[in-house]
């Protein structure tokens, strides 16, 4: 018989017994008065709580059975979900039901009956839209499904910068630029929380690789961190106002992120003024007293940790004075204040009683599809082979299981499709598997949109694939790269010899279109021999329809790269990933480091500019089925910032959307890299017409961070404002603006 660890670790309190406590009269529970401020309500609640009730609130359970540890999930949690914190009935405090995460309502891999829900495209795909409204709409949609599924906390909001393009979790994140990633992820957080939900901001901080993620020590100087990863997280916090921040697995300059006084107390709570609470990642808590005093407010998913640090051990530490009562009260106040601020008490969730929970999957699928369509990036289109011509009579579709579905990324973010995966698992049997495909076939969707005869080959036999290609008017090859939490890609090539497949097919037929479904950048040794390349990322629930609509021209592609595609790993700051993917984490403790001071704040395109590397495709790049002309650039001082205006003319024959990008450079240099993205505007313009755009540059993007004063300092002199359609493109226009010396505070004010 399994040992019920959660019961043995729970405090000896009647509060854990369902129905054992009776609600007090409302007059005796003033904290339930929604007319008061969240702070006032939380202060009153904390004063009314017993020590045991406070401890109960800062200690989280895993809500899935964990057989290897003989752990059985609490019965009041949502089955096979991420986490659960029991509520307190006598006080009217609801339970916390926590769901993974960024693409939709995920089910833990151990489940035999996963919850089937709508999946957004990958985080990179959402960021590739460069469309704030779409990011918000996607967040609102998955937040609504989470609420209807019985959850009030969503572990979404991932904004780790892409320092390492081989990182297995890049597909969950927002790319390499702090402004773009921060704004887009912040909008998703804002959308999720519009459902009376709490969303997290994660992973705080510098969790930019999966290799040895549990113990690797990241070295980064304060100023470099504040201008890169931390700035991305700060912008996301300002835009999204997340209720919670999830601290990361790794170490930062020595201490673990979840017991880093620098990260949690100094940066997050003091400097940024964060009023919410810090929860640990599952397995990222390593102590009781150090973690509590360093700013961790809640231990999450405790079976993943070595001990129940914030249960009996924390209670004893408080009783003995090792952790002040005031610190525990602050932990509880932060949690309950957040719950009140986001309406968790006034808008209680109910456990989903039906498989679909009343969700409109058709409508939600359309939201996901729109995001996928807007995020796809057309990387090459020789001889205008796309959109597909009506004269094409025979099409060969090869590889990628494109006859039945589209790929998704793996790990804790895995959303299971309606009807489950149509492809038998080809990935790891256990976490971060299984490898899942969404039931939206690009081949079937194309068949409904074209009169051409379509044939399919799985691509496993190169000769058979080449023979089919040679006999067809046009070929569409699907190149898939499955990436997942806990593992990094070994290189930037497509796995399983798919590069050889594409090369063989392209040799047989020059009219070869490659559709990529990848977790991040890949190299393309066959690029010169194919006619077109479409980066579809992981396109989500209706991904097949989205791909087909872009290929046929029903949708004019408008996605732009949120990350640089290197020509090779030799161009990276670390050509070989630091750490050892084979040795167990326990054996490398205190031995493995990664030095982010190599590039400092010069992440992504900034590194390529600094070193003069020519990438395969630059940050911000993307083609369209029409053409645009950027002009009328004007830039003027506006307070402590610069306001930029420009025009976008559609010079082609199709309606389309352009992303005008504004880059800033100090004329005399002195920054971490030659230029920074200062802002952008995505403008929809009909054929032959002209649209107007306005961008206001955040003062922090004109400044260098000064660690001594904790301010941003704008140097006096001339600044070059460049208008372009990518970080690597020839400028459409440049103007200069003279700025006086200025100092702005840590928020850019």
């Amino acid at each position: 018989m399994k040992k019920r660890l959660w019961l043995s670790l729970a405090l000896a309190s009647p509060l854990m017994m369902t129905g054992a406590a009776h609600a007090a009269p409302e007059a005796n529970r003033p904290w339930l008065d929604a007319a008061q401020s969240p702070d006032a309500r939380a202060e009153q609640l904390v004063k009314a709580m017993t020590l045991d009730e406070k401890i109960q609130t800062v200690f989280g359970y895993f809500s899935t059975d964990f057989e290897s540890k003989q752990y059985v999930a609490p019965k009041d949690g949502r089955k096979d979900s991420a986490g659960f914190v029991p509520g307190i009935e006598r006080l009217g405090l609801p339970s916390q039901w926590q769901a993974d995460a960024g693409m939709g309502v995920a089910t833990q891999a151990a489940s035999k009956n996963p919850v089937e829900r709508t999946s957004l495209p990958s985080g990179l795909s959402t960021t590739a839209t460069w469309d704030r409204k779409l990011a918000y709409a996607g967040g609102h949609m998955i937040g609504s499904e989470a609420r209807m599924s019985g959850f009030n906390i969503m572990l979404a909001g991932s904004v780790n910068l892409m320092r390492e393009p081989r990182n297995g979790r890049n597909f969950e994140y927002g790319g390499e630029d702090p402004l773009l990633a921060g704004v887009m992820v912040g909008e998703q957080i804002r959308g999720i929380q519009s459902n009376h939900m709490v969303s997290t901001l994660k992973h705080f901080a510098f969790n930019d690789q999966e290799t040895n993620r549990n113990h690797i020590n990241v070295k980064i100087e304060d100023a470099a961190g504040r201008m890169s990863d931390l700035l991305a997280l700060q912008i996301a916090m300002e835009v999204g106002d997340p209720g919670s921040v999830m601290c990361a697995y790794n170490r930062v300059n020595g201490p673990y992120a979840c017991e880093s006084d620098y990260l949690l107390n100094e940066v997050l709570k003091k400097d940024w003024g964060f009023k919410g609470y810090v929860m640990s990642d599952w397995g990222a808590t390593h102590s009781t007293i150090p973690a509590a005093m360093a700013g961790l407010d809640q231990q999450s998913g405790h079976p993943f940790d070595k001990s129940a640090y914030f249960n009996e051990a924390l209670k004893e530490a408080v009783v003995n004075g090792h952790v002040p009562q005031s610190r525990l009260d602050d932990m509880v106040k932060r949690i309950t204040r957040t719950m009140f601020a986001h309406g968790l008490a006034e808008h209680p969730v109910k456990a989903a009683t039906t498989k679909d929970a009343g969700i409109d999957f058709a409508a939600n699928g359309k939201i996901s599809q729109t995001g996928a369509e807007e995020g796809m990036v057309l990387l090459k289109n020789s001889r205008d082979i796309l959109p597909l011509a009506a004269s094409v009579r025979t099409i060969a579709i090869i590889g990628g299981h494109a006859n039945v579905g589209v790929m998704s990324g793996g790990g804790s973010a895995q959303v299971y499709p309606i009807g489950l995966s149509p492809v038998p698992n080809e990935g790891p049997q256990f976490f971060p598997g299984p490898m899942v495909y969404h039931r939206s076939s690009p081949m079937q969707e194309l068949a409904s949109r074209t009169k051409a005869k379509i044939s399919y080959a799985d691509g496993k036999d190169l000769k058979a694939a080449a023979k089919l290609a040679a006999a067809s008017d046009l070929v569409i090859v699907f190149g898939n790269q499955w990436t997942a939490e806990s593992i990094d890609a070994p290189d930037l090539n497509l796995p399983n010899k798919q590069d050889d497949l594409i090369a063989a097919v392209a040799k047989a037929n020059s009219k070869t279109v490659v559709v990529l479904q990848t977790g991040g950048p890949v190299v393309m040794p066959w690029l010169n021999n194919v006619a077109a390349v479409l980066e579809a990322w992981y396109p989500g629930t209706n991904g097949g329809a989205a791909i087909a609509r872009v290929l046929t021209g029903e949708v004019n592609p408008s996605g732009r790269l949120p990350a640089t595609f290197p020509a090779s790993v030799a161009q990276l700051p670390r050509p070989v990933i630091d750490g050892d993917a084979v040795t167990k984490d326990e054996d490398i403790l205190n031995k493995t480091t990664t030095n982010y001071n190599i590039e400092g704040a010069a992440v992504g395109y900034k590194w390529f500019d600094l070193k003069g590397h020519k990438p395969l495709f630059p940050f911000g790049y993307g083609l369209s089925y029409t053409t645009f002309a950027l002009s009328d650039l004007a830039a003027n001082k506006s307070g402590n910032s610069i306001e930029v205006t420009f025009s976008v003319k559609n010079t082609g024959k199709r309606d389309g959307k352009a992303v005008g990008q504004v880059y800033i450079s100090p004329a005399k240099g002195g920054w971490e890299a030659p230029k920074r993205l200062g802002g952008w505007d995505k403008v929809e313009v009909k054929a032959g017409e002209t649209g107007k755009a306005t961008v206001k540059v955040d003062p922090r993007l004109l400044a260098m961070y000064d660690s001594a004063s904790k301010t941003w300092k704008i140097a006096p002199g001339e600044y070059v404002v460049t208008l372009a359609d990518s970080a690597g493109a020839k400028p459409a226009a440049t103007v200069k603006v003279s700025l006086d010396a200025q100092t702005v505070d840590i928020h850019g004010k």
Side-chain angles (χ1 to χ4, degrees):
M1 182 177 180
K2 295 179 181 178
K3 184 179 180 182
R4 293 185 174 269
L5 290 183
W6 75 272
L7 285 173
S8 66
L9 289 171
L11 298 170
S13 168
L15 299 169
M16 292 295 293
M17 310 301 177
T18 302
H22 296 283
E26 291 302 314
N28 295 331
R29 300 193 293 182
W31 51 86
L32 296 183
D33 178 8
Q36 298 186 76
S37 71
D39 289 284
R41 297 172 70 184
E43 287 176 3
Q44 294 172 70
L45 174 60
V46 170
K47 289 178 181 178
M49 297 174 79
T50 66
L51 176 58
D52 285 350
E53 288 168 342
K54 294 174 183 177
I55 295 295
Q56 179 175 311
T57 305
V58 302
F59 183 70
Y61 299 93
F62 189 38
S63 201
T64 301
D65 293 347
F66 206 148
E67 293 186 6
S68 64
K69 294 193 175 185
Q70 295 184 304
Y71 170 85
V72 176
K75 64 181 179 63
D76 291 330
R78 305 295 187 235
K79 184 174 175 57
D80 298 330
S81 67
F84 172 67
V85 179
I88 304 172
E89 186 177 356
R90 86 172 179 90
L91 300 175
L93 186 69
S95 295
Q96 300 167 51
W97 289 284
Q98 303 162 331
D100 279 322
M103 268 57 75
V105 182
T107 303
Q108 297 300 308
S111 174
K112 296 180 181 178
N113 296 293
V115 173
E116 301 168 13
R117 292 292 182 262
T118 306
S119 175
L120 286 173
S122 67
L124 272 183
S125 177
T126 296
T127 307
T129 69
W130 294 59
D131 189 319
R132 299 165 176 83
K133 292 181 180 179
L134 284 179
Y136 176 88
H140 177 78
M141 184 272 287
I142 62 173
S144 70
E145 285 203 1
R147 164 166 279 280
M148 295 177 76
S149 302
F151 297 99
N152 52 19
I153 294 174
M154 206 166 195
L155 309 178
S158 302
V159 65
N160 296 86
L161 284 194
M162 192 187 292
R163 287 180 180 269
E164 174 49 71
R166 293 161 292 193
N167 181 358
R169 297 191 82 171
N170 279 334
F171 75 94
E172 299 182 46
Y173 302 151
E176 68 189 26
D177 181 78
L179 176 65
L180 178 65
V183 168
M184 294 297 287
V185 175
E187 288 291 352
Q188 186 187 56
I189 291 171
R190 200 168 65 87
I192 290 171
Q193 293 189 156
S194 66
N195 296 279
H196 300 296
M197 299 272 297
V198 171
S199 181
T200 61
L201 175 65
K202 64 183 188 182
H203 304 89
F204 195 77
F206 305 103
N207 184 181
D208 299 339
Q209 71 176 58
E210 292 297 282
T211 301
N212 299 139
R213 66 176 182 173
N214 291 307
H215 300 293
I216 195 164
N217 184 23
V218 174
K219 293 183 177 180
I220 182 76
E221 293 180 356
D222 177 64
R226 301 267 193 164
M227 294 190 296
S228 56
D229 298 62
L230 293 178
L231 181 58
L233 289 156
Q234 185 181 11
I235 291 172
M237 186 190 78
E238 293 166 352
V239 172
D241 189 24
S244 177
V245 166
M246 181 187 291
C247 50
Y249 288 118
N250 51 284
R251 296 169 178 258
V252 178
N253 295 322
Y256 285 106
C258 288
E259 51 189 53
S260 169
D261 180 73
Y262 164 73
L263 284 178
L264 306 185
N265 284 334
E266 181 180 344
V267 174
L268 181 64
K269 294 181 178 180
K270 181 180 178 181
D271 295 346
W272 296 356
F274 179 63
K275 293 184 177 181
Y277 66 100
V278 178
M279 65 163 64
S280 67
D281 205 340
W282 275 229
T285 306
H286 296 276
S287 66
T288 298
I289 299 171
M293 297 307 295
L296 180 63
D297 299 308
Q298 187 179 73
Q299 179 183 7
S300 307
H302 85 87
F304 287 86
D305 297 316
K306 298 297 183 183
S307 180
Y309 297 108
F310 276 20
N311 202 323
E312 291 285 8
L314 179 58
K315 179 182 178 181
E316 183 179 2
V318 171
V319 170
N320 290 332
H322 299 300
V323 173
Q325 180 68 53
S326 60
R327 172 61 190 126
L328 177 61
D329 288 351
D330 177 60
M331 296 159 71
V332 178
K333 179 184 175 182
R334 286 176 171 275
I335 295 167
T336 56
R337 178 210 172 273
T338 296
M339 297 172 72
F340 289 136
H342 294 279
L344 270 60
E346 289 72 48
H347 303 274
V349 295
K350 298 179 181 179
T353 56
T354 61
K355 186 175 182 180
D356 63 14
I359 295 168
D360 188 342
F361 288 115
N364 289 354
K366 290 296 183 181
I367 294 171
S368 174
Q369 181 178 324
T370 299
E373 291 168 355
E374 294 277 323
M376 291 184 189
V377 183
L378 184 61
L379 296 174
K380 182 178 181 180
N381 193 22
S382 297
R383 304 185 303 277
D384 293 329
I385 195 169
L386 294 177
L388 297 174
S391 59
V392 175
R393 295 183 179 180
T394 56
I395 299 175
I397 294 182
I398 298 174
H401 297 293
N403 59 325
V404 293
V406 291
M407 175 167 272
S408 70
S412 63
Q414 182 65 67
V415 179
Y416 287 83
I418 307 300
L420 301 181
S421 179
V423 179
N425 184 30
E426 297 177 336
Q429 183 177 358
F430 304 105
F431 188 87
M435 186 183 292
V436 172
Y437 286 74
H438 294 291
R439 289 180 174 270
S440 182
S441 163
M443 185 178 79
Q444 293 175 12
E445 294 288 347
L446 275 173
S448 69
R449 289 171 166 80
T450 177
K451 296 180 180 179
K453 178 184 176 181
I454 299 179
S455 303
Y456 177 76
D458 62 17
K460 294 179 181 178
D461 185 330
L462 265 62
K463 291 184 178 179
K467 183 177 180 181
L468 176 61
S472 305
D473 291 343
L474 182 140
V475 187
I476 304 173
V477 186
F478 283 75
N480 290 1
Q481 177 207 41
W482 183 74
T483 59
E485 180 181 357
S486 80
I487 52 175
D488 292 324
D491 51 43
L492 293 178
N493 291 86
L494 293 174
N496 303 320
K497 299 183 178 180
Q498 291 178 89
D499 288 329
D500 293 342
L501 169 65
I502 296 171
V505 169
K507 184 176 181 181
N509 190 330
S510 62
K511 294 183 178 180
T512 293
V513 176
V514 178
V515 176
L516 295 170
Q517 297 180 100
T518 69
V522 293
V523 294
M524 305 174 198
W526 33 261
L527 180 62
N528 292 335
N529 300 319
V530 302
V533 181
L534 178 68
E535 176 59 79
W537 315 105
Y538 300 146
T541 289
N542 284 15
I547 290 170
R549 279 166 51 83
V550 171
L551 292 177
T552 59
E554 291 178 58
V555 172
N556 191 346
S558 62
R560 301 294 184 265
L561 291 182
T564 305
F565 275 45
S568 72
V569 295
Q571 294 181 326
L572 302 178
R574 286 162 294 280
V576 178
I577 297 175
D578 289 325
D580 183 346
V582 178
T583 306
K584 292 182 178 179
D585 276 329
E586 290 80 357
D587 296 330
I588 58 97
L589 185 61
N590 295 323
K591 297 179 182 178
T592 303
T593 63
T594 188
N595 185 10
Y596 287 170
N597 290 314
I598 293 173
E599 72 272 38
V603 179
Y605 67 90
K606 298 174 185 177
W607 170 261
F608 278 72
D609 283 353
L610 187 66
K611 296 298 180 181
H613 294 323
K614 181 177 174 57
L616 189 64
F617 293 106
F619 171 85
Y621 177 85
L623 302 175
S624 171
Y625 294 151
T626 189
T627 54
F628 298 97
L630 304 175
S631 62
D632 301 330
L633 175 65
N636 297 285
K637 289 189 292 184
S638 177
N640 55 16
S641 181
I642 298 175
E643 186 168 283
V644 182
T645 59
F646 58 90
S647 298
V648 181
K649 184 175 182 180
N650 186 334
T651 56
K653 298 180 179 180
R654 290 174 177 263
D655 298 348
K657 297 177 181 179
V659 181
Q661 300 159 41
V662 175
Y663 292 90
I664 310 294
S665 309
K668 294 182 179 180
W671 283 357
E672 75 281 1
K675 66 176 181 286
R676 298 171 181 165
L677 178 69
W680 77 91
D681 198 358
K682 188 169 189 176
V683 184
E684 184 171 8
V685 190
K686 293 183 178 180
E689 296 188 0
T690 299
K692 301 291 185 180
T694 300
V695 170
K696 189 166 185 179
V697 180
D698 188 310
R700 290 170 292 190
L701 299 173
L702 301 170
M704 293 290 285
Y705 183 78
D706 179 64
S707 295
S709 63
K710 293 191 176 183
T711 59
W712 295 84
K713 294 187 179 295
I714 300 174
E718 284 193 325
Y719 288 77
V720 179
V721 179
T722 299
L723 177 62
D725 55 19
S726 80
K730 181 180 178 180
T734 61
V735 296
K736 291 183 178 180
V737 178
S738 293
L739 298 178
D740 298 325
Q742 295 184 65
T743 298
V744 295
D745 67 18
I746 205 158
H747 300 287
K749 305 297 183 182

